[in-house]
Amino acid sequence: MSQSITFQVQPGGSLRGEIRVPGDKSMSHRSIMLGSLAEGVTHVRGFLNAEDAMSTLEAFRAMGVKIEGPVNGEVTIHGVGKHGLQAPAQPLYLGNSGTSMRLLSGLLAGQSFDSVLTGDKSLESRPMRRVTAPLALMGAEIETQENGTAPLHIKGKGNLKGINYEMPIASAQVKSCLLLAGMYAEGDTVVTEPAPTRDHTERMLTGFGYPVKRDGSTATINNQGQLTATQIDVPSDISSAAFFLVGASIAPDSDVTLKHVGINPTRTGVIDILRLMGADIEVLNQRSVGGEPVADLRVRSSKLKGIDIPEHLVPLAIDEFPVLFVAAACAEGRTVLTGAKELRVKESDRIQVMADGLQILGVDAQPTEDGMVINGGAIGTGRVDSHGDHRIAMSFSIAGLRASGAITIDDCANVNTSFKEFKDLATQLGLKLSVI
Ligand code: SPQ
């Protein structure tokens, strides 16, 4: 585990310049998983070299896959084929990464060997029944702790059967877990989601030549396909870009261009929400890269206003709410978020932890069961705790742009799980951020 790190941000300043934030975390995980199961050698560019994606990469190395890199974002995966993974000698430690654990649980339930998945304190307190329950319906045997958390002990029985599953929550991790298990199940695995969630798994399976049928909110897969090695170009992560979309919106005299950002419509809720609040965001040079839409995003300072966030945008911006709460704190009037209960079971309880920190900074932020009510106003000064959650740490750093004094943020080491370069890129643009 990384050592404890404290950030301190001095108040004020503007953000100006052009940067490229690191590769998309969701796609980086999936590129390793599918590349490992493919026939042939897959080359990945733009891979996210951060702890979460590395947890996935190391897990596949531990299952006998030869993976070179990452070097400058390039990874070469020598695929072992759908049935070529080897039993790991030890439990697979997945650090802080929910995506690794939930997607791997599906994939490993379909293998013919046993495996154990573990993680850090945060990951081992996150709910896993959302995946183990439907996997059990497919015939998987997975032992959890009494309260449904990891470590997960997965029996490799190799005889899964397809199910027709209506997901009770909108979760790309649950959907992806079941699609990966469905690659090993007899008959069709049919997954229906209650609202659109990120569809990188479906797109990437298609890119590897594996048939997945998509019909509205339903995706169907079976065990008849093969994955064929391919080239993957991972765009920049819109969830990392989001810190600067908000930062440049709230800080006066700002003008930032974020290059080569993935703008898959299942991920762009943050742009829609900020625009509804009055943000000035231009989407430039739209293009398609390896089956995923990409663009440069130019964002300039604007006067934000509070809004009622439309609930249909919640799953499309689920990881961006910590920093959107900072935008709301800087907006004129009231912002209301509802329908976002899922935020309570992320790396931290993102509703409570953000409300606590904002209140320490003098913001009128009231947590509710499934969201938050924030009355925009001044941001003060103080010491807040990120509770080891990367997105909380970066969000409070951005709040410094409009604070009246310094903000000290404890427990920031996990910024390395998704965005190691955050401090360097943020200071390059003008944020007065240091490690103390
Ligand atoms: O991987 P992890 O820890 O779950 O990461 C987070 C994040 O903020 O980085 C969530 F805390 O992103 C998830 C996201 O919230 C990544 C993800 C994916 O790649 O499929 C899907 C979302 O989770 P969920 O639970 O809504 O399916």
Side-chain angles (χ1 to χ4, degrees):
M1 215 193 106
S2 343
Q3 74 199 85
S4 148
I5 287 179
T6 298
F7 279 177
Q8 189 165 66
V9 58
Q10 297 302 325
S14 309
L15 297 185
R16 299 185 72 84
E18 191 176 285
I19 57 166
R20 180 169 169 158
V21 301
D24 188 272
K25 180 157 77 74
S26 296
M27 284 186 241
S28 295
H29 284 298
R30 288 154 171 85
S31 70
I32 297 292
M33 295 181 188
L34 300 187
S36 294
L37 298 175
E39 306 282 343
V41 179
T42 290
H43 294 282
V44 184
R45 288 195 316 177
F47 182 80
L48 174 68
N49 184 359
E51 286 171 12
D52 273 15
M54 288 308 290
S55 291
T56 292
L57 189 152
E58 292 301 347
F60 281 87
R61 277 190 179 141
M63 291 189 284
V65 183
K66 184 173 166 213
I67 305 175
E68 297 164 67
V71 178
N72 295 327
E74 294 198 15
V75 174
T76 303
I77 309 163
H78 298 260
V80 294
K82 218 170 110 182
H83 298 284
L85 294 178
Q86 292 164 21
Q90 275 155 9
L92 298 170
Y93 176 72
L94 302 170
N96 194 243
S97 177
T99 307
S100 309
M101 185 166 286
R102 297 209 179 104
L103 271 58
L104 271 174
S105 65
L107 202 159
L108 291 172
Q111 307 303 311
S112 51
F113 53 80
D114 295 354
S115 50
V116 180
L117 303 182
T118 67
D120 69 9
K121 204 167 133 237
S122 154
L123 183 54
E124 291 198 349
S125 64
R126 291 175 69 184
M128 292 297 148
R129 275 200 191 113
R130 57 183 58 200
V131 287
T132 58
L135 287 171
L137 297 175
M138 296 178 77
E141 243 179 71
I142 303 179
E143 211 179 283
T144 65
Q145 303 310 290
E146 225 169 282
N147 57 357
T149 56
L152 303 182
H153 293 258
I154 304 173
K155 275 253 166 289
K157 301 199 309 177
N159 60 350
L160 299 183
K161 53 184 190 307
I163 51 166
N164 195 327
Y165 191 66
E166 303 248 350
M167 288 167 32
I169 45 170
S171 162
Q173 293 179 353
V174 175
K175 172 178 64 174
S176 303
C177 163
L178 299 179
L179 291 176
L180 293 174
M183 287 170 52
Y184 296 91
E186 205 165 314
D188 282 350
T189 296
V190 184
V191 188
T192 303
E193 51 187 2
T197 66
R198 66 192 71 190
D199 63 356
H200 307 299
T201 304
E202 298 92 303
R203 285 179 190 245
M204 209 180 277
L205 280 165
T206 305
F208 276 91
Y210 201 102
V212 196
K213 202 168 93 209
R214 301 177 67 183
D215 184 9
S217 56
T218 298
T220 305
I221 198 166
N222 64 35
N223 63 0
Q224 297 300 302
Q226 293 285 347
L227 296 155
T228 305
T230 186
Q231 314 278 334
I232 297 177
D233 217 314
V234 179
S236 295
D237 198 327
I238 192 166
S239 296
S240 299
F243 299 104
F244 304 112
L245 293 178
V246 170
S249 296
I250 63 173
D253 202 25
S254 294
D255 186 350
V256 169
T257 299
L258 299 152
K259 303 288 283 183
H260 205 76
V261 181
I263 53 156
N264 178 318
T266 60
R267 298 286 298 281
T268 46
V270 61
I271 296 178
D272 299 334
I273 292 169
L274 283 172
R275 279 181 169 164
L276 288 172
M277 296 176 80
D280 176 0
I281 301 172
E282 280 180 273
V283 178
L284 305 167
N285 303 322
Q286 281 200 51
R287 55 221 183 252
S288 172
V289 179
E292 289 275 355
V294 169
D296 303 328
L297 304 179
R298 183 173 183 192
V299 52
R300 283 174 276 192
S301 320
S302 51
K303 210 166 148 27
L304 299 182
K305 61 177 195 304
I307 58 164
D308 288 355
I309 297 173
E311 282 197 10
H312 76 272
L313 293 176
V314 169
L316 312 180
I318 193 68
D319 295 336
E320 285 64 76
F321 285 106
V323 79
L324 283 168
F325 293 148
V326 173
C330 297
E332 195 181 311
R334 192 176 73 145
T335 295
V336 181
L337 172 68
T338 53
K341 210 171 173 179
E342 274 296 297
L343 292 177
R344 292 201 178 271
V345 291
K346 298 295 182 185
E347 287 84 322
S348 70
D349 176 343
R350 288 179 174 166
I351 292 176
Q352 195 59 50
V353 170
M354 282 304 299
D356 289 347
L358 288 170
Q359 286 170 7
I360 287 171
L361 299 176
V363 176
D364 177 1
Q366 296 309 323
T368 60
E369 200 199 338
D370 66 343
M372 185 107 80
V373 179
I374 295 177
N375 285 300
I379 298 182
T381 175
R383 184 166 201 132
V384 299
D385 190 341
S386 85
H387 288 264
D389 186 331
H390 53 139
R391 300 205 191 280
I392 305 281
M394 292 185 272
S395 299
F396 281 118
S397 305
I398 293 297
L401 289 161
R402 285 279 292 271
S404 63
I407 300 176
T408 305
I409 311 149
D410 285 320
D411 206 0
C412 295
N414 278 341
V415 167
N416 288 339
T417 63
S418 69
F419 196 174
K420 279 187 199 172
E421 302 81 351
F422 174 72
K423 185 180 146 286
D424 290 347
L425 289 176
T427 49
Q428 181 189 322
L429 291 177
L431 189 71
K432 299 172 200 164
L433 180 64
S434 50
V435 173
I436 57 166

